[in-house]
Amino acid sequence: MKIIIIGAGQTGSAIATHLASEDNDITVIERNKKLLSNISGQLDIRTIQGNGSHPYILEQADAKEADMIIAVTDIDEVNMAACQVAYTMFGVQTKIARIRSHQYTTHKKLFKNEDVPIDRIISPELMMTNHIKNLIKYPGASQIISFSGDLVTILSIKITSDSHLLKANIIEIQKKHSQLNIVALLRKDKYINIEQDTLLKQGDEVFLVTEHINISKVLYMLTKIKHAYKKIIIAGGGNIGQSLAAKLENDYKVKLIDHNSAHCQQAAATLENTIVLEGEATNLSLLLEENIDLADIFCAVTNNDESNILSSALAKHKGVKRAIAIVNNPGYLSLIEDTNIDLDVSISPQKVTVNSLLSLVRQQYAHIVKVHSLQAGYAEVFELKVTNPPGQISPLIDLTIENI
């Protein structure tokens, strides 16, 4: 496919890297000369310096020949305008844009070809909110991916120092539990072959497939977490924090902490059943006053990585059952893994966004129904529809699963 990517920041560069390795014709447009130089030095792709929403720049990028445009600059309005110009002037059929502001994403009717022609919207805040909500809904899971209209689910479970699965034989686990099928094992950033004598180690992440209706049952069998979570403390009252609190407050007891008075005032005015506290989430006295040791979940979702990591580690040290933190810096993600910082789940907004974008791109192929990256992006899961292409016969027809 011929794809134009507008924006060469972290997300745009990561998308270009993945797609360029898959025999796509990639053009990247970026205003910042340094960012453009960085990506052109790493990848064999075409680059153009300029504003991706300007007709002249899109014309230079041969937009008339493009199959898809992906607009991922840091400015929503630039992304929307780029898709508008690409469709109106050059007839680009597939338009994907990253839109952050709730002022836009809450108005779905806005994004139609006759208005603002965007086919798929990527909202990092909304994706992060839904991702964390699922982790809270299903205790013990590190990742939850649904397929086949939510009939089938892939779960991942991390093996901790106090896990009852530590040193367990992975084949024996499979034999004991007919409701699941173990499909992958991630160890120190590498997927390893599962052998007859493979034993689980601390830090391992196990991926398994089960029916959606069995998720809670399977998680209990493997994690022994006996009760659902009830008490949630959210550190961060920005877009993600307030959105997460709004989705949780009717089913859980939620407290939200933020040091910013304006955020607190806005949260208090919009949230109905959430206790809003002004203060630093890294303040031990505040955490103790709010009975952190009785809380089930501590979610650190501020825009400060250091604060998220430190407050989560502090909460775990003082007795919270599970700590979840948003971490943007790739170096910090590696540090967490390598030093065994006491953090149950660290989530990279960039990786979540890139994975979603890659899924949307690959779904343009007729036989691909859904695509998801497994944790850390080291492998992908495809849901395929076995059909005969026009004038051809699918090579998958009449094959057994084990022979595919």
Side-chain angles (χ1 to χ4, degrees), residues 289-343:
E289 284 176 15
E290 298 307 321
N291 300 313
I292 189 66
D293 58 315
L294 300 178
D296 295 302
I297 294 282
F298 182 87
C299 295
V301 295
T302 76
N303 59 6
N304 185 299
D305 284 354
E306 292 86 350
S307 177
N308 290 343
I309 295 170
L310 182 58
S311 61
S312 297
L314 195 59
K316 281 290 286 185
H317 180 63
K318 292 302 177 182
V320 75
K321 294 180 179 65
R322 193 165 173 82
I324 300 171
I326 287 178
V327 182
N328 290 278
N329 189 323
Y332 288 164
L333 289 169
S334 298
L335 179 67
I336 291 168
E337 292 295 329
D338 294 342
T339 59
N340 292 320
I341 292 175
D342 200 2
L343 180 58

Side-chain angles (χ1 to χ4, degrees), residues 7 9 109 116 129 132 141 191 206-207 264 271 320 364 400:
K109 293 181 180 179
V116 181
T129 299
I132 295 172
Y191 285 95
V206 181
F207 295 85
C264 290
L271 298 171
V320 75
Q364 302 306 307
T400 61

Side-chain angles (χ1 to χ4, degrees), residues 146-158:
S146 295
F147 292 92
S148 301
D150 287 342
L151 292 176
V152 178
T153 300
I154 290 183
L155 301 173
S156 74
I157 298 170
K158 273 204 168 185

Side-chain angles (χ1 to χ4, degrees), residues 165 167-170 185 187 195 197-201 204:
L165 293 178
K167 297 182 180 180
N169 183 294
I170 201 165
L185 176 62
R187 177 176 292 166
E195 309 289 350
D197 59 349
T198 302
L199 303 181
L200 293 175
K201 298 181 179 180
D204 284 355

Side-chain angles (χ1 to χ4, degrees), residues 156-174:
S156 74
I157 298 170
K158 273 204 168 185
I159 306 301
T160 59
S161 59
D162 58 351
S163 171
H164 80 284
L165 293 178
L166 189 63
K167 297 182 180 180
N169 183 294
I170 201 165
I171 299 297
E172 291 302 316
I173 296 172
Q174 177 74 73

